[in-house]
mmCIF file of all heavy atoms in Angstrom:
data_model
loop_
_atom_site.group_PDB
_atom_site.id
_atom_site.type_symbol
_atom_site.label_atom_id
_atom_site.label_comp_id
_atom_site.label_asym_id
_atom_site.label_seq_id
_atom_site.Cartn_x
_atom_site.Cartn_y
_atom_site.Cartn_z
ATOM 1 N N MET A 8 -35.868 -29.125 -60.599
ATOM 2 C CA MET A 8 -35.030 -30.108 -59.893
ATOM 3 C C MET A 8 -33.602 -29.949 -60.354
ATOM 4 O O MET A 8 -33.323 -29.382 -61.429
ATOM 5 C CB MET A 8 -35.538 -31.534 -60.145
ATOM 6 C CG MET A 8 -35.501 -31.965 -61.591
ATOM 7 S SD MET A 8 -36.243 -33.600 -61.886
ATOM 8 C CE MET A 8 -37.984 -33.256 -61.609
ATOM 9 N N GLN A 24 -36.864 -40.702 -61.560
ATOM 10 C CA GLN A 24 -36.711 -41.074 -60.153
ATOM 11 C C GLN A 24 -37.150 -39.950 -59.223
ATOM 12 O O GLN A 24 -37.805 -40.197 -58.211
ATOM 13 C CB GLN A 24 -35.253 -41.456 -59.871
ATOM 14 C CG GLN A 24 -34.852 -42.846 -60.362
ATOM 15 C CD GLN A 24 -33.481 -43.228 -59.881
ATOM 16 O OE1 GLN A 24 -32.516 -42.470 -59.985
ATOM 17 N NE2 GLN A 24 -33.355 -44.426 -59.334
ATOM 18 N N LEU A 47 -41.634 -27.515 -69.819
ATOM 19 C CA LEU A 47 -40.956 -28.286 -68.789
ATOM 20 C C LEU A 47 -39.554 -28.694 -69.234
ATOM 21 O O LEU A 47 -38.598 -28.609 -68.450
ATOM 22 C CB LEU A 47 -41.781 -29.521 -68.439
ATOM 23 C CG LEU A 47 -41.244 -30.411 -67.313
ATOM 24 C CD1 LEU A 47 -40.989 -29.603 -66.045
ATOM 25 C CD2 LEU A 47 -42.217 -31.562 -67.035
ATOM 26 N N VAL A 86 -49.892 -50.186 -56.520
ATOM 27 C CA VAL A 86 -49.196 -50.955 -55.500
ATOM 28 C C VAL A 86 -48.396 -52.032 -56.207
ATOM 29 O O VAL A 86 -48.956 -52.837 -56.952
ATOM 30 C CB VAL A 86 -50.187 -51.582 -54.506
ATOM 31 C CG1 VAL A 86 -49.457 -52.469 -53.502
ATOM 32 C CG2 VAL A 86 -50.979 -50.498 -53.784
ATOM 33 N N LEU A 183 -45.893 -69.797 -40.758
ATOM 34 C CA LEU A 183 -46.178 -69.885 -42.184
ATOM 35 C C LEU A 183 -44.874 -70.177 -42.916
ATOM 36 O O LEU A 183 -43.906 -69.431 -42.824
ATOM 37 C CB LEU A 183 -46.788 -68.581 -42.689
ATOM 38 C CG LEU A 183 -47.975 -68.032 -41.882
ATOM 39 C CD1 LEU A 183 -48.572 -66.817 -42.575
ATOM 40 C CD2 LEU A 183 -49.025 -69.104 -41.659
ATOM 41 N N TYR A 219 -49.078 -73.233 -46.249
ATOM 42 C CA TYR A 219 -48.768 -74.358 -45.372
ATOM 43 C C TYR A 219 -47.859 -73.882 -44.236
ATOM 44 O O TYR A 219 -47.043 -72.974 -44.406
ATOM 45 C CB TYR A 219 -48.051 -75.461 -46.149
ATOM 46 C CG TYR A 219 -48.821 -75.983 -47.337
ATOM 47 C CD1 TYR A 219 -48.768 -75.317 -48.563
ATOM 48 C CD2 TYR A 219 -49.586 -77.132 -47.243
ATOM 49 C CE1 TYR A 219 -49.470 -75.788 -49.670
ATOM 50 C CE2 TYR A 219 -50.293 -77.614 -48.346
ATOM 51 C CZ TYR A 219 -50.238 -76.938 -49.544
ATOM 52 O OH TYR A 219 -50.929 -77.401 -50.634
ATOM 53 N N VAL A 232 -59.045 -60.837 -55.711
ATOM 54 C CA VAL A 232 -59.038 -60.071 -56.961
ATOM 55 C C VAL A 232 -58.555 -58.658 -56.646
ATOM 56 O O VAL A 232 -58.868 -58.092 -55.595
ATOM 57 C CB VAL A 232 -60.420 -60.026 -57.635
ATOM 58 C CG1 VAL A 232 -60.836 -61.421 -58.088
ATOM 59 C CG2 VAL A 232 -61.486 -59.412 -56.736
ATOM 60 N N LEU A 244 -36.375 -62.715 -61.115
ATOM 61 C CA LEU A 244 -35.957 -63.967 -61.760
ATOM 62 C C LEU A 244 -34.439 -64.059 -61.695
ATOM 63 O O LEU A 244 -33.715 -63.088 -61.935
ATOM 64 C CB LEU A 244 -36.421 -64.005 -63.213
ATOM 65 C CG LEU A 244 -37.927 -63.810 -63.436
ATOM 66 C CD1 LEU A 244 -38.241 -63.854 -64.922
ATOM 67 C CD2 LEU A 244 -38.726 -64.857 -62.694
#
Side-chain angles (χ1 to χ4, degrees):
M8 62 185 70
Q24 283 188 311
L47 183 54
V86 176
L183 310 186
Y219 303 83
V232 295
L244 305 179

